Amino acid sequence: MTTAIALTGVAVSAQRQLHAIACMERSLLQRGVLSDAAADAFNRYRAVQQSRLAVCAEHFAALSPANDGAFTPIQKPEPA
């Protein structure tokens, strides 16, 4: 369960950073002060955050109820 919580923290952080990037970029664009260098920096930073989300998605997909102590399958007897 600790792994899932840690992954969630990383994913939420990356999502917040992506939102912040979008807000800053939109603000600069609306004011007409978004330079090419700033746009490139935003794109590189966005790519890093998207990579973090992709890695989290891969790790979440690898988690299965069988290896997570919070999800223990309950054996139900079959009717006779």
Side-chain angles (χ1 to χ4, degrees):
M1 191 65 161
T2 305
T3 302
I5 292 170
L7 286 172
T8 302
V10 172
V12 168
S13 171
Q15 192 65 33
R16 284 182 178 151
Q17 292 298 319
L18 284 170
H19 179 73
I21 293 165
C23 290
M24 286 186 286
E25 189 173 29
R26 183 175 51 247
S27 174
L28 291 174
L29 187 61
Q30 288 173 344
R31 290 185 285 164
V33 293
L34 181 64
S35 66
D36 289 340
D40 288 341
F42 283 132
N43 288 336
R44 286 192 305 273
Y45 195 56
R46 185 180 295 112
V48 169
Q49 300 308 321
Q50 289 170 341
S51 294
R52 288 177 67 202
L53 280 176
V55 169
C56 288
E58 288 176 17
H59 285 301
F60 270 123
L63 293 177
S64 67
N67 67 4
D68 193 339
F71 300 101
T72 35
I74 298 172
Q75 298 277 338
K76 293 184 180 179
E78 293 183 14

